[in-house]
């Protein structure tokens, strides 16, 4: 009870209830923010007991739906969360007298940004010197590997008027492109996940030629010499180009 007395000897009293917890559980977290690639550390070093000593430290982890996903023991724990979203970490401490106390902490785990990568391969340099195969299969995302995300792929060219997309595969992950201008062209791959994260990478393609060599033989040969012609044209060279005949 608290009683207040003024100069005229008037008094006023108020009753208060005071609850003292012992032991006291306190959670410490590091880092404060992270994603599905982050290993979080949770510690109970600030927890204490005034009348006894702490004996047990129990950690319970819950997902955003309130379902328990893990139970761990120890003064400190480490945890990497596989799925982006909200989680609750609960610490219960127990002292040698059997007294318990709990503390809870909400943790928001962001998605890991995708890591874009792609390879550039000429399709047939001799027949199609300006056609290339672009393959983004080397791109990765830990959330995809864990089964909680999907990626989308977008290709951007420095001169879109000078390129034609011949074909696409696996929902734009792999494409074949044909350039109609020589010179250096920049290709940018943008990879996005379902959580709004987008990363990109840019590479350069040097197109040395857009010519497609063709050879037409108009002169007719006697049938009896067709075998000689066949042996001759199979290895016919014109400048630096090699022509194949079936």
């Amino acid at each position: 009870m608290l009683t207040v007395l003024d100069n005229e000897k008037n008094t006023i009293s108020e009753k208060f209830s005071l609850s003292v917890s012992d032991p006291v559980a306190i959670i410490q977290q590091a880092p404060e923010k992270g994603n599905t690639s982050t290993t979080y550390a949770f510690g109970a070093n600030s927890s204490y007991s005034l009348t006894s000593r702490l004996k047990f430290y129990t950690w319970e982890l819950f997902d955003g739906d309130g379902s328990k996903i893990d139970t761990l023991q120890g003064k400190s724990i480490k945890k990497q969360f596989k799925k982006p979203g909200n989680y609750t970490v609960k610490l219960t401490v127990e002292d040698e007298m059997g007294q318990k106390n709990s503390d809870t902490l909400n943790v928001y785990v962001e998605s890991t940004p995708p890591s874009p990568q792609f390879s550039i391969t000429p399709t047939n340099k001799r027949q199609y010197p300006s056609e290339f195969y672009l393959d983004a299969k080397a791109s990765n995302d830990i959330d995809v590997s864990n089964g909680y995300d999907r990626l989308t792929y977008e290709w951007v060219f420095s001169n879109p008027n000078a390129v034609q997309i011949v074909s696409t595969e696996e929902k734009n992950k792999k494409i074949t492109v044909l350039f109609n201008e020589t010179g250096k062209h920049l290709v940018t791959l943008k990879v996005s996940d379902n959580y709004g994260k987008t990363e990109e990478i840019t590479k350069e393609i040097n197109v040395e030629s857009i010519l497609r060599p063709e050879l037409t033989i108009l002169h007719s040969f006697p049938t009896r010499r067709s075998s000689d012609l066949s042996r001759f044209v199979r290895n016919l060279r014109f400048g630096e180009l090699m022509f194949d005949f079936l």
Side-chain angles (χ1 to χ4, degrees), residues 46-57:
S46 296
S47 303
Y48 62 90
S49 175
L50 297 175
T51 59
S52 182
R53 291 189 304 175
L54 297 180
K55 186 176 182 180
F56 298 111
Y57 303 84

Side-chain angles (χ1 to χ4, degrees), residues 214-234:
E214 295 183 1
L215 180 64
T216 302
I217 299 177
L218 300 177
H219 186 74
S220 60
F221 290 84
T223 305
R224 61 186 178 85
R225 305 226 14 217
S226 60
S227 60
D228 295 335
L229 173 62
S230 175
R231 286 194 297 271
F232 169 74
V233 298
R234 283 183 184 276

